[in-house]
Amino acid sequence: MEHDRNRHASTIQVLVADNSPFHTQLLVGALSREPDLKVFSSDLNAASVMAASIAHKIDVFVLSAFMDEDAERGFSILQELREADHNTRAVILLDSSKVEAVLQSFRAGARGVFDHRESPYTLCQCIRQVHGGQVWISNDQMALVLDSLSSAPKLKAVDSKGVNLLSKREIDVVRCVTEGLTNREIADRLGLSQHTIKNHLFRIFDKRGVSNRIELLFVTLSQNSA
């Protein structure tokens, strides 16, 4: 009995709503082969997804970004889910890895973005990582984001009222992060210790309302593209 409880506790309840019933069932079949994933399906509309969420106590949603002519269907559904529960964890399925599509996914509240062309096995890894509280983004997508950030003309460090959020040194650290530098590389460039860089990052995360480097990158990119 104890073994059954532990196995149930480790199972991830997943809801798949792709852009067609055919694609949804293909994905459900592929993901259901994994013993730690219990997979359900839904039509890609808010009512169906909400109903399935309540009925099955979904841990991770896997939603297509678009359906038919509606290029933002998944984003609007995810926003409704997050209005009901801000802890909602979701992966957005994309047919494009363009920066704006990736960025819009995270703006909507996604914790992961996944290219349809990747394998189901990789999607399983993505789901597990998102369920564990991490952010998922491919190396190629991250490279595009970093390129966009490095070419951005201005790094905003003020809120909507023009109040300074970051110090000059903290802005220097953020710029280094957007170039993909490690803490050691940032320390070497700025002539500071790694401990000092770590402290700067903690303060930056707190001021920007993020918890890690990836979230910081998307907050920064979002401001620069707004």
Side-chain angles (χ1 to χ4, degrees), residues 166-185:
L166 304 180
S167 68
K168 182 180 182 301
R169 179 60 78 190
E170 288 167 347
I171 292 174
D172 291 338
V173 171
V174 173
R175 287 201 176 99
C176 291
V177 170
T178 65
E179 293 178 33
L181 301 185
T182 65
N183 283 8
R184 179 186 294 276
E185 291 168 335

Side-chain angles (χ1 to χ4, degrees), residues 30 41 117:
S41 64
R117 293 167 292 186

Side-chain angles (χ1 to χ4, degrees), residues 69 93 107 114 164 179 198:
E69 300 301 317
L93 301 173
R107 281 180 185 149
F114 189 84
N164 288 331
E179 293 178 33
K198 188 175 182 179

Side-chain angles (χ1 to χ4, degrees), residues 75-170:
F75 303 141
S76 60
I77 292 173
L78 177 52
Q79 287 169 340
E80 288 192 40
L81 287 170
R82 285 180 56 79
E83 286 176 7
D85 180 2
H86 72 277
N87 292 316
T88 295
R89 292 175 179 174
V91 176
I92 290 289
L93 301 173
L94 297 174
D95 281 347
S96 167
S97 287
K98 292 180 180 178
V99 169
E100 186 54 37
V102 174
L103 179 58
Q104 192 168 2
S105 299
F106 283 99
R107 281 180 185 149
R111 301 296 295 177
V113 287
F114 189 84
D115 192 314
H116 265 117
R117 293 167 292 186
E118 296 286 337
S119 71
Y121 172 76
T122 306
L123 179 56
C124 292
Q125 293 179 301
C126 169
I127 290 168
R128 293 185 185 107
Q129 185 158 318
V130 168
H131 180 253
Q134 303 300 308
V135 174
W136 178 277
I137 182 172
S138 73
N139 289 335
D140 289 344
Q141 290 165 336
M142 179 56 75
L144 289 172
V145 170
L146 289 172
D147 286 344
S148 293
L149 280 165
S150 63
S151 62
K154 182 180 180 182
L155 177 62
K156 296 184 180 179
V158 298
D159 62 16
S160 60
K161 297 180 180 179
V163 178
N164 288 331
L165 293 175
L166 304 180
S167 68
K168 182 180 182 301
R169 179 60 78 190
E170 288 167 347

Side-chain angles (χ1 to χ4, degrees), residues 28-42:
V28 168
L31 297 180
S32 295
R33 298 189 184 101
E34 298 296 313
D36 62 328
L37 304 182
K38 187 170 180 60
V39 189
F40 304 90
S41 64
S42 168

Side-chain angles (χ1 to χ4, degrees), residues 170-221:
E170 288 167 347
I171 292 174
D172 291 338
V173 171
V174 173
R175 287 201 176 99
C176 291
V177 170
T178 65
E179 293 178 33
L181 301 185
T182 65
N183 283 8
R184 179 186 294 276
E185 291 168 335
I186 297 172
D188 290 343
R189 175 178 291 187
L190 300 182
L192 302 170
S193 70
Q194 290 187 62
H195 178 72
T196 299
I197 298 302
K198 188 175 182 179
N199 286 339
H200 277 311
L201 284 170
F202 280 139
R203 286 195 293 272
I204 292 166
F205 291 166
D206 182 59
K207 290 180 179 181
R208 304 305 291 133
V210 300
S211 58
N212 56 54
R213 285 169 170 257
I214 293 177
E215 291 178 3
L216 177 63
L217 288 173
F218 283 103
V219 167
T220 306
L221 181 57

